[in-house]
Amino acid sequence: MTKYIFVTGGVTSSLGKGIISASLAKLLQARGYRVTIQKFDPYINIDPGTLNPYEHGECYVTEDGAETDLDLGHYERFLNTPTSQANNVTTGRIYQHVIEKERQGAFLGKTVQVVPHITDEIKRRMCLLANDGQYDIIITELGGTVGDIESLPFVEAVRQLRWELGTNNSLVIHLTLVPFLAAAGELKTKPTQHSVKTLLEYGVQPDVLVCRTEHHLSSEIRKKLALFCNVNINAVVESIDAPSIYDVPLLMLKEQLDKTVLTKLKLSTKNDPDLASWKAFLGKLKNPTEEITIGLVGKYVELPDAYKSINEAFIHAGAVNECKVRVKSIAAESINPDNVAEKLKKLSGVLVAPGFGERGLDGKLVAIRYIRENHIPFFGICLGMQCAVIEFGRNVMGLKNANSYEMDQQTKHPVIALMEAQKKVTDMGGTMRLGAYDCEIKKGTKAAAIYGKAKISERHRHRYEFNNKYLDQYEKAGMIASGINPENNLVEIVELKDHPFFVAGQFHPELKSTVANPHPLFVSFVAASLAYHKEKKQK
């Protein structure tokens, strides 16, 4: 029988439920268990696809084209296994499904209520991944904080499900904050006590407390928390601030979180976790032989979570190259022809980030021109690739005012055009080209050398494409379409012949980079940036 672990949060948001869930899953996976993680979000949006990155961080896209919470990125990066639409559910999706059923008459004229109809749907979704028998353990992370109005139906569903599953088949981990009061010079347990009390009022007793803290928990604090929160003392787990999220699995191993969980679920603990490759990655991450700075030019640079997967992909690629990658965020709007040299000349490479809309476009074009003309390693993703095409058209091919149809519908040269399938689309959510698509790579190109194979699959999230009417002109001028989608002939990768590293993709390679499999485009880009850095030092 599949076992269930529910992870709730208390006191405050942003404590790191996603990292704790992913770390526990990693330890259980390393012991030989088949594990997956799912996230239940209490907001009413159907998915994060229409949310501004400033609202909720980046929108993570799965292989099957679901627009999901960024925590699914952590799950994939830690476990190296793909997630799907079933791994992320929002209040909006739950209510949408229940209302559709009501319209179809599925409830036989009954009054549709939060209990049982909404809670039944939540429970059904919580158990969905267990249906095909693929997993031994399913970890379910509940978004929000205990006590929020929005999360009440989810907590109630957990209460009911635990009762239905029976003893030893589920447990609740409550992640909470133990703050340090500088004036008193001590850690305070009262916020945790209140948080657990609220959870108890809803009928849910946590089995394990994971305590986020800036200072180590003394045995007295652990005893106090165990006594007042009704948990065993060995189930009071310290989660101290770590230098990197990738340290957390080893910290949780030291705290024996995996052992405590398995014992409570009546599962075997005889296999020690095999973390050799994880420790090897951490060894490289913490002992770099070189250090470089790469610029990230984007629209949402004030919020690091807006480009979470890109930043993590640089960490993975840096470790492979035994090189610390410092990412310097540069607001695209702040770049102009007068200051571009000052902003970019000290960098070893520049990535132009994905995004939507016109804001910051001119800055990106100015940056790309400087990069191209000064032979600085360049990597463009999605809109970054489209900007590279526009800049090349304007400044090399003489296509005056070449542009994307997204930015200027009157342009004479729509080198980036709206896909045919998108022309009749009116709804914004879930209607882009989403998820995994195949790409065939031309022999003898930089892309072929990077991937080492002729056929790849990458994840997409966009509406606009390279306009194939201009393809011959571009290739004659020196910008090669080195990757093509075999089904619809759309351009996936462009690169420049006479440049040390100028590669851009219409897809999002950062979404497939994991600790176990760093993405080859990022690895090669970091390697090229490192070579450029060394060359500059010698001069």
Side-chain angles (χ1 to χ4, degrees):
M1 182 180 176
T2 303
K3 307 275 187 172
Y4 294 85
I5 298 168
F6 302 100
V7 181
T8 60
V11 184
T12 178
S13 59
S14 304
L15 289 180
K17 290 194 297 291
I19 302 298
I20 291 296
S21 300
S23 298
L24 173 59
K26 182 74 215 168
L27 294 177
L28 297 173
Q29 185 191 57
R31 283 180 180 269
Y33 289 101
R34 299 169 303 160
V35 189
T36 191
I37 320 176
Q38 55 189 354
K39 173 86 184 275
F40 280 66
D41 270 309
Y43 53 76
I44 298 174
N45 302 64
I46 301 297
D47 56 46
T50 56
L51 286 171
N52 186 308
Y54 285 139
E55 286 281 321
H56 205 68
E58 78 170 3
C59 175
Y60 189 81
V61 180
T62 59
E63 286 284 293
D64 63 350
E67 294 174 290
T68 69
D69 184 80
L70 61 80
D71 274 331
L72 269 71
H74 293 311
Y75 307 162
E76 289 200 12
R77 286 188 283 273
F78 277 56
L79 296 180
N80 198 39
T81 52
T83 53
S84 70
Q85 189 160 339
N87 293 75
N88 190 202
V89 181
T90 67
T91 292
R93 199 175 288 283
I94 298 285
Y95 273 81
Q96 185 186 45
H97 183 80
V98 170
I99 289 166
E100 281 171 0
K101 281 180 73 177
E102 183 272 332
R103 293 288 82 188
Q104 292 159 8
F107 299 118
L108 304 174
K110 291 272 186 189
T111 304
V112 180
Q113 295 175 291
V114 173
V115 181
H117 302 101
I118 297 298
T119 49
D120 281 355
E121 178 59 18
I122 293 170
K123 287 188 291 181
R124 186 185 75 82
R125 300 268 182 155
M126 284 176 169
C127 299
L128 211 54
L129 288 165
N131 289 349
D132 54 8
Q134 244 186 303
Y135 302 108
D136 304 311
I137 301 166
I138 294 172
I139 299 175
T140 303
E141 178 194 341
L142 301 189
T145 307
V146 168
D148 294 347
I149 291 170
E150 297 96 329
S151 49
L152 270 171
F154 294 98
V155 178
E156 169 60 17
V158 169
R159 184 195 70 75
Q160 292 180 20
L161 198 52
R162 293 201 72 192
W163 183 74
E164 289 166 17
L165 289 167
T167 51
N168 307 322
N169 291 322
S170 71
L171 65 81
V172 171
I173 296 173
H174 190 54
L175 179 64
T176 178
L177 179 69
V178 179
F180 180 79
L181 285 191
E186 59 184 5
L187 290 164
K188 290 293 181 184
T189 63
K190 197 62 73 180
T192 296
Q193 292 178 48
H194 280 297
S195 182
V196 171
K197 185 184 173 189
T198 303
L199 203 52
L200 286 167
E201 284 171 4
Y202 300 150
V204 176
Q205 165 67 54
D207 301 281
V208 179
L209 287 182
V210 176
C211 304
R212 287 285 285 113
T213 175
E214 295 172 1
H215 298 265
H216 290 291
L217 301 180
S218 64
S219 56
E220 286 75 23
I221 294 261
R222 289 183 193 244
K223 281 177 191 169
K224 190 175 180 182
L225 284 168
L227 178 65
F228 287 108
C229 298
N230 293 346
V231 298
N232 299 334
I233 190 157
N234 67 343
V236 178
V237 172
E238 173 189 283
S239 176
I240 201 156
D241 290 355
S244 154
I245 59 169
Y246 300 107
D247 288 298
V248 178
L250 298 186
L251 293 175
M252 291 302 101
L253 179 67
K254 194 178 169 189
E255 286 287 303
Q256 299 192 327
L257 175 61
D258 55 328
K259 208 169 185 180
T260 302
V261 162
L262 289 171
T263 304
K264 285 182 181 292
L265 292 173
K266 294 285 189 282
L267 291 170
S268 170
T269 58
K270 68 177 182 187
N271 292 340
D272 287 330
D274 177 9
L275 293 164
S277 61
W278 192 270
K279 287 175 182 174
F281 160 74
L282 273 177
K284 286 182 177 179
L285 183 65
K286 293 185 175 188
N287 300 287
T289 56
E290 293 281 352
E291 184 177 311
I292 58 171
T293 302
I294 287 175
L296 190 155
V297 177
K299 284 174 67 173
Y300 312 109
V301 293
E302 293 88 349
L303 184 73
D305 275 0
Y307 300 113
K308 190 70 182 169
S309 293
I310 290 174
N311 287 319
E312 297 306 316
F314 274 129
I315 291 172
H316 309 153
V320 173
N321 287 286
E322 296 187 15
C323 166
K324 182 174 180 61
V325 179
R326 291 196 181 278
V327 179
K328 183 183 178 185
S329 297
I330 304 165
E333 286 170 285
S334 71
I335 301 173
N336 59 57
D338 297 327
N339 66 16
V340 64
E342 191 55 41
K343 283 184 176 285
L344 304 185
K345 68 181 179 185
K346 291 179 183 172
L347 301 172
S348 301
V350 178
L351 182 146
V352 175
F356 294 90
E358 198 173 354
R359 183 170 66 84
L361 179 77
D362 290 341
K364 288 182 178 180
L365 298 180
V366 170
I368 292 168
R369 180 173 191 170
Y370 180 85
I371 295 158
R372 179 178 55 76
E373 291 177 348
N374 289 277
H375 286 77
I376 300 168
F378 165 78
F379 186 16
I381 296 177
C382 198
L383 182 61
M385 175 258 203
Q386 296 175 2
C387 288
V389 169
I390 294 166
E391 188 280 326
F392 194 81
R394 286 183 188 181
N395 300 320
V396 177
M397 296 166 59
L399 299 174
K400 199 179 175 192
N401 299 323
N403 213 331
S404 165
Y405 184 79
E406 179 186 7
M407 315 305 172
D408 178 8
Q409 295 185 10
Q410 308 305 317
T411 178
K412 281 186 180 176
H413 296 292
V415 293
I416 303 296
L418 190 63
M419 292 167 60
E420 205 56 44
Q422 290 288 328
K423 287 182 179 172
K424 292 174 186 170
V425 170
T426 53
D427 284 357
M428 298 298 284
T431 55
M432 287 182 272
R433 185 177 173 213
L434 290 163
Y437 286 85
D438 288 337
C439 171
E440 286 178 356
I441 295 176
K442 288 181 185 171
K443 287 179 184 173
T445 59
K446 203 169 256 108
I450 290 167
Y451 279 101
K453 50 188 175 183
K455 196 169 184 180
I456 58 160
S457 169
E458 293 284 4
R459 297 182 197 175
H460 294 67
R461 184 176 184 250
H462 59 100
R463 293 184 198 283
Y464 297 86
E465 302 278 356
F466 183 96
N467 189 342
N468 281 346
K469 289 175 187 172
Y470 291 88
L471 186 53
D472 286 345
Q473 280 176 262
Y474 269 84
E475 296 215 314
K476 281 171 188 165
M479 183 172 267
I480 307 300
S482 53
I484 302 284
N485 179 278
E487 286 169 34
N488 45 31
N489 215 33
L490 294 170
V491 174
E492 298 279 24
I493 305 171
V494 296
E495 59 184 66
L496 288 185
K497 282 181 182 176
D498 53 349
H499 195 285
F501 192 99
F502 193 104
V503 179
Q506 182 58 81
F507 45 79
H508 289 261
E510 71 275 17
L511 300 177
K512 290 187 77 167
S513 186
T514 68
V515 170
N517 287 307
H519 198 283
L521 279 172
F522 276 89
V523 172
S524 301
F525 176 53
V526 170
S529 301
L530 185 57
Y532 177 81
H533 171 75
K534 287 177 179 174
E535 196 182 305
K536 253 196 343 182
K537 266 204 313 192
Q538 285 168 0
K539 285 178 183 175

